[in-house]
Amino acid sequence: MNKVGIHRLAFYTSHYYLDLAILANARGIEVNKFYIGLGQSKMAVPAPDEDIVTLAANAAKRALNDINVNEIDTILFATESGIDQSKAAGVYVKSLLGLPNRVRVIELKQACYGATAALQFATAMVAKQPHKKILVLAADVARYGFNTGGESSQGCGAIAMLITANPSILAIEPETGLYTDDVMDFWRPNYRSEALVEGHYSTKIYLHALEQTWQHYQEESGRNFKDHDYFCYHTPVPRLVEKAHQTLLKIAGELPVESNKTHEQLKPILYYGRETGNSYSAALYISLISLLDNTAEELSHKRIGFYSYGSGCVAEFFSGVVQPEYRQVLATEFHRQHLASRQALTYQEYEAFYSYQLPTNGGECFTPKHETGDFRLAGIKEHKRIYKLVNQPEILSKETKAAISKALSPGKLILSGEHAVNFGKPVLAMAIDRYAQTTIASHDPEQVTFNLLDFNYKNSFTINTLRALKRRVKEKYKEFLAGKVGIREVLQQPFELTQYAVVNWLDHMNTKFNRGLDIHTTSSIPVGCGMGSSAASVLSVLKAITRFHDMSWDREQYYTIAKEIEQLQHGKSSGIDVYISLHGGCVYFKEGQAEPRPLPTVPLFLVNTGTPAATTGESVSHVLEHFGQDSIWQTFETVTNIMDKALQANDLPEVQSAIRDNHRLLTKIEVVPAKVQRFITEIEAQGAAAKISGAGAVTGDQAGALLVVTEQVEPIKQLCHQYGYDLLEVKAVERGLHAL
Ligand code: HMG
């Protein structure tokens, strides 16, 4: 019988990646947990105009560059990142590659295992009709929730392999070991764009299934460990592959092998995976490509064992033998150049890519243009994805090309002087590395669609409906000023602030929208915790919409309008949140005058104790009523001035002492809930200092953000753990509101 197997093979990943050091820094995690603990250096991040179709088409274009595509009989596309419940993604690839219509195209799914199923089906088809050529594609975007345990094991990539008789690269052997079990280690319900995962359980099942499939494979093939020269494993994170290899060595009775020897053996196999992250169905075959491209030793006639695992779970162990002419047809140079020319993302760019969402309600969109190889997803129109060859004349009109705008605005932390600012006393505050971000794109001409991700809210409105909302909110605010209603009654929902900002912009500019708008906002600033999330959101919306209309405002205009809007949320705004978010940096602020200060360099942390039961407006009113005439405000001023000097001198003990004094004063004015006071007492017992940052709360247990100043992080982490709080390192940032 003819040999059947892989005749051509190539992979493609995104042009963009995030170094895990940047993610570690943003998440307050020791970078070696990722670099060493997971063995992962970078993760590929898809651009908004990139998906499984463009990734797979790019891989296939390279794999087929010397092949007559008219000979392809079938395309099998494995993915778990499907873009349609009905149409196979491979049909789009067929068009993009210019394949003839006389071809069969189908999509397969079983988590990361799908590509192995496709490979096995393809070899069976070719074995039956040896003149046929089958194109196997596998492409995925590995996506987990923001700031979750899985976040560091994201990635994306695609492989294309042409399966033929008498293959040039690898002959697949017929014996396989199989294992299926109904487990919930990882899954993605239809309504979610991110996977759900029981991380540690999934690794356990992965290793268990390896043992099971190996045993079955041995029974079927009669081969033992030493009959194989190399092993390739499904690679969710490289460290798990090292564990898998150790497991196999153990069952095969080959241990002990020093772990650094295992590390060396697996180096060429894991080389590309460390650079791209998980690519689910493509990952096992990227490890094969990595082995073939990066092993100096001649591999002809070497047998490779393959372990394919797909959560849920289905697993298979099989083998293949490298063919003598393999080197002549590898795409090694293409792969190396592709990886070497990639672009590193900043944390904010990663957030922006991650948060970008295509409309899910039938809305039209044009995706912003990025580097996506030879193919891109240009947009969606009438529920249909529009794919384009990159060197094809641009389909977007000039007007539409300009019609995407993005803006970022940072949150803030008050270092000292909250409440006192309302009595003419100084306040020290700084912008921090957490942002609200707004993206605006063209949309249905009649509508403004709000996609407010933090509130899990999506809805479309006509301008008339938005005007009615504005009238209602303004009326209520008047009643608030007249003392007839509380501030909570002004906005019925917090997201109405964004809607108000949009229609207010329109009225302020005395203009009308000549296109509909699709407005996405997302934020990494905790909402309602005294960190300026409302001000940052309003500013990012105003900036994005101004830029979208090719207009420009000066900072004074942004300040005045955003402050006016922010008052609807907070009652009477001191303007600090807006000022800091707009200008960035660290500022000493007194009676409306701002003096810039150098960014603090002492180690600052943030603890979110949860959204206070009382709003900022309610806490401010309480303080005004009960302490308005108190002499305490002078002491607040003294403490703020001490803190100001100590921060400039980078004098940690003096900063901590001022923080403790500040905390005592805040406790006196009754804005520190009892539970938070207990927590701060325990923090102080550890030699650290903490205070609320923001309005605090006059009722309930939660006080929003706490500022913690300490050099000893571990004991504070443990305390946070006991109280159920998270500890985050925060950094001051120089840059305020800006467009991306
Ligand atoms: P985790 O909680 O991020 O990490 O989970 P951890 O706490 O288990 O730590 C990982 C390693 O880092 C440990 O070493 C730590 O000691 C070490 P190990 O015990 O493994 O030897 N570590 C450090 N090392 C050096 N310096 C430090 C440091 N700190 C800690 N400072 C996990 C890791 C992979 C579970 C997580 O990333 C996750 O949930 N990922 C998503 C799920 C996944 O990838 N599962 C893998 C098996 S399932 C599968 O492969 C299928 C899948 O591809 C989907 C499909 O089939 O479609 C996911």
Side-chain angles (χ1 to χ4, degrees):
M1 195 182 99
N2 280 330
K3 289 179 190 168
V4 178
I6 303 174
H7 188 57
R8 292 290 184 273
L9 182 60
F11 90 92
Y12 186 85
T13 184
S14 174
H15 177 71
Y16 303 93
Y17 71 86
L18 183 71
D19 194 305
L20 290 186
I22 292 179
L23 185 67
N25 184 38
R27 299 288 175 253
I29 293 173
E30 166 67 30
V31 65
N32 280 342
K33 163 146 189 212
F34 298 155
Y35 280 2
I36 298 170
L38 301 183
Q40 194 71 49
S41 324
K42 295 169 184 160
M43 62 189 198
V45 184
D49 49 344
E50 191 160 47
D51 67 5
I52 51 162
V53 169
T54 64
L55 290 167
N58 276 305
K61 187 171 176 200
R62 180 59 190 80
L64 302 177
N65 71 347
D66 61 341
I67 299 290
N68 176 1
V69 292
N70 293 329
E71 293 174 1
I72 295 175
D73 171 84
T74 298
I75 300 177
L76 301 177
F77 193 135
T79 185
E80 56 176 301
S81 319
I83 51 162
D84 194 290
Q85 289 284 19
S86 179
K87 178 168 173 160
V91 177
Y92 294 107
V93 177
K94 176 238 162 230
S95 292
L96 291 173
L97 297 178
L99 262 66
N101 290 352
R102 194 170 278 187
V103 64
R104 171 194 296 125
V105 183
I106 193 93
E107 190 167 306
L108 295 94
K109 175 182 72 188
Q110 178 21 65
C112 303
Y113 169 75
T116 300
L119 172 65
Q120 296 294 9
F121 297 162
T123 53
M125 290 166 92
V126 175
K128 193 172 123 200
Q129 290 184 291
H131 61 287
K132 302 280 184 197
K133 290 187 169 61
I134 315 274
L135 176 62
V136 170
L137 302 173
D140 270 307
V141 175
R143 190 176 151 89
Y144 298 93
F146 232 17
N147 207 354
T148 61
E151 189 182 22
S152 51
S153 55
Q154 300 181 108
C156 68
I159 57 103
M161 42 192 177
L162 190 68
I163 309 304
T164 65
N166 302 316
S168 297
I169 297 177
L170 190 88
I172 301 294
E173 296 183 298
E175 303 82 8
T176 70
L178 297 172
Y179 180 76
T180 291
D181 194 7
D182 183 0
V183 289
M184 296 303 282
D185 59 332
F186 166 106
W187 67 107
R188 184 166 68 84
N190 281 347
Y191 50 82
R192 286 183 62 98
S193 64
E194 305 96 30
L196 294 163
V197 63
E198 298 291 334
H200 293 119
Y201 178 58
S202 72
T203 60
K204 213 170 120 193
I205 303 284
Y206 171 106
L207 294 173
H208 175 71
L210 168 63
E211 291 191 37
Q212 298 297 312
T213 52
W214 170 252
Q215 229 168 53
H216 187 200
Y217 167 78
Q218 275 200 304
E219 285 162 26
E220 291 286 311
S221 67
R223 294 184 199 114
N224 60 35
F225 186 89
K226 288 213 163 80
D227 293 320
H228 302 81
D229 301 283
Y230 289 91
F231 291 88
C232 290
Y233 300 86
H234 166 53
T235 311
V237 289
R239 176 79 186 109
L240 187 55
V241 169
E242 288 171 7
K243 285 186 187 171
H245 197 57
Q246 289 278 331
T247 304
L248 211 54
L249 285 163
K250 191 168 143 207
I251 333 172
E254 295 290 327
L255 281 180
V257 174
E258 296 147 37
S259 77
N260 54 3
K261 196 160 172 205
T262 312
H263 192 78
E264 280 308 306
Q265 281 171 346
L266 294 174
K267 224 175 184 175
I269 292 150
L270 294 177
Y271 188 76
Y272 291 157
R274 287 191 210 283
E275 294 284 311
T276 57
N278 198 353
S279 49
Y280 291 160
S281 57
L284 172 64
Y285 300 94
I286 289 181
S287 82
L288 168 63
I289 298 172
S290 190
L291 170 69
L292 298 173
D293 281 356
N294 299 302
T295 308
E297 184 196 2
E298 174 57 43
L299 296 179
S300 301
H301 307 296
K302 302 280 183 200
R303 176 174 286 116
I304 304 173
F306 292 89
Y307 173 55
S308 177
Y309 175 80
S311 282
C313 72
V314 178
E316 180 162 346
F317 201 104
F318 64 99
S319 61
V321 176
V322 180
Q323 298 303 293
E325 66 271 37
Y326 78 100
R327 271 197 204 281
Q328 293 157 35
V329 296
L330 289 181
T332 310
E333 234 4 79
F334 170 78
H335 298 139
R336 289 189 181 152
Q337 272 184 21
H338 175 44
L339 288 178
S341 66
R342 289 187 304 167
Q343 185 181 325
L345 296 176
T346 63
Y347 178 75
Q348 281 73 32
E349 288 165 338
Y350 157 64
E351 248 191 19
F353 274 16
Y354 181 97
S355 314
Y356 185 87
Q357 281 201 341
L358 295 166
T360 50
N361 63 351
E364 187 176 318
C365 92
F366 297 94
T367 50
K369 194 165 189 313
H370 292 88
E371 174 59 61
T372 57
D374 289 326
F375 309 95
R376 67 182 294 266
L377 170 64
I380 296 192
K381 198 170 181 190
E382 294 165 359
H383 302 274
K384 296 169 195 156
R385 288 190 174 230
I386 306 162
Y387 290 101
K388 291 288 163 189
L389 304 181
V390 164
N391 55 9
Q392 189 170 282
E394 185 54 87
I395 49 144
L396 305 178
S397 66
K398 196 166 161 250
E399 182 194 37
T400 317
K401 265 199 262 178
I404 287 159
S405 111
K406 284 186 190 180
L408 276 182
S409 211
K412 69 107 194 10
L413 264 190
I414 295 195
L415 298 161
S416 182
E418 47 278 274
H419 289 287
V421 67
N422 298 320
F423 300 92
K425 302 301 179 200
V427 65
L428 257 179
M430 64 177 199
I432 55 167
D433 55 349
R434 306 207 128 224
Y435 296 88
Q437 178 182 321
T438 299
T439 304
I440 298 192
S442 285
H443 189 44
D444 179 331
E446 304 294 319
Q447 305 253 298
V448 179
T449 295
F450 294 88
N451 199 338
L452 311 177
L453 301 174
D454 299 296
F455 300 109
N456 210 2
Y457 173 84
K458 182 159 187 176
N459 217 337
S460 300
F461 295 89
T462 61
I463 295 297
N464 283 344
T465 322
L466 288 175
R467 287 228 160 84
L469 178 141
K470 182 179 169 187
R471 279 195 298 277
R472 190 226 325 133
V473 171
K474 270 184 97 165
E475 209 40 55
K476 278 283 170 204
Y477 188 64
K478 266 195 209 147
E479 290 178 27
F480 162 75
L481 291 179
K484 292 186 192 157
V485 298
I487 189 65
R488 275 178 201 253
E489 287 171 65
V490 175
L491 297 170
Q492 286 177 357
Q493 300 285 349
F495 48 73
E496 288 181 351
L497 204 63
T498 308
Q499 294 165 337
Y500 187 98
V502 171
V503 70
N504 197 48
W505 182 93
L506 196 63
D507 293 345
H508 181 81
M509 300 305 286
N510 198 14
T511 182
K512 60 185 180 114
F513 294 144
N514 53 9
R515 293 168 272 180
L517 302 183
D518 194 359
I519 301 177
H520 283 241
T521 72
T522 176
S523 170
S524 54
I525 311 166
V527 175
C529 294
M531 293 171 66
S533 74
S534 307
S537 295
V538 167
L539 281 167
S540 72
V541 167
L542 293 177
K543 176 91 184 177
I545 204 167
T546 305
R547 201 162 165 260
F548 182 84
H549 289 89
D550 262 345
M551 296 177 177
S552 68
W553 278 10
D554 59 28
R555 280 185 169 174
E556 199 47 47
Q557 277 173 298
Y558 278 113
Y559 180 75
T560 313
I561 305 276
K563 188 176 163 199
E564 193 185 300
I565 298 170
E566 195 222 4
Q567 313 225 88
L568 303 170
Q569 174 85 41
H570 292 324
K572 288 167 201 156
S573 161
S574 67
I576 289 172
D577 290 12
V578 173
Y579 187 92
I580 295 286
S581 188
L582 180 61
H583 292 262
C586 181
V587 176
Y588 180 90
F589 204 81
K590 189 175 176 188
E591 288 171 345
Q593 294 301 313
E595 293 173 29
R597 292 287 187 262
L599 296 187
T601 47
V602 296
L604 300 175
F605 294 86
L606 173 77
V607 174
N608 183 0
T609 65
T611 307
T615 63
T616 299
E618 284 164 347
S619 294
V620 167
S621 303
H622 175 93
V623 170
L624 208 63
E625 192 183 324
H626 294 89
F627 302 95
Q629 304 309 319
D630 209 299
S631 58
I632 199 167
W633 304 113
Q634 188 51 49
T635 323
F636 264 102
E637 176 159 16
T638 309
V639 169
T640 298
N641 288 338
I642 292 172
M643 169 107 84
D644 183 28
K645 287 208 175 72
L647 280 171
Q648 290 188 53
N650 198 21
D651 183 343
L652 180 65
E654 191 65 9
V655 172
Q656 288 181 317
S657 156
I659 297 260
R660 290 184 197 111
D661 290 345
N662 206 326
H663 167 59
R664 308 248 168 323
L665 294 171
L666 290 162
T667 306
K668 271 198 190 144
I669 60 167
E670 299 172 355
V671 293
V672 190
K675 179 179 173 193
V676 176
Q677 283 185 42
R678 282 198 301 282
F679 177 65
I680 293 181
T681 306
E682 292 198 50
I683 284 196
E684 290 184 356
Q686 299 288 348
K691 63 175 275 285
I692 58 161
S693 171
V698 286
T699 51
D701 266 355
Q702 309 186 144
L706 284 196
L707 173 67
V708 179
V709 181
T710 184
E711 273 186 318
Q712 305 300 325
V713 189
E714 271 319 306
I716 307 300
K717 252 192 198 160
Q718 280 169 23
L719 258 180
C720 287
H721 187 67
Q722 281 168 29
Y723 277 78
Y725 301 149
D726 283 330
L727 183 74
L728 299 173
E729 185 167 5
V730 279
K731 294 225 159 32
V733 290
E734 205 61 81
R735 203 162 176 206
L737 175 67
H738 61 279
L740 274 183

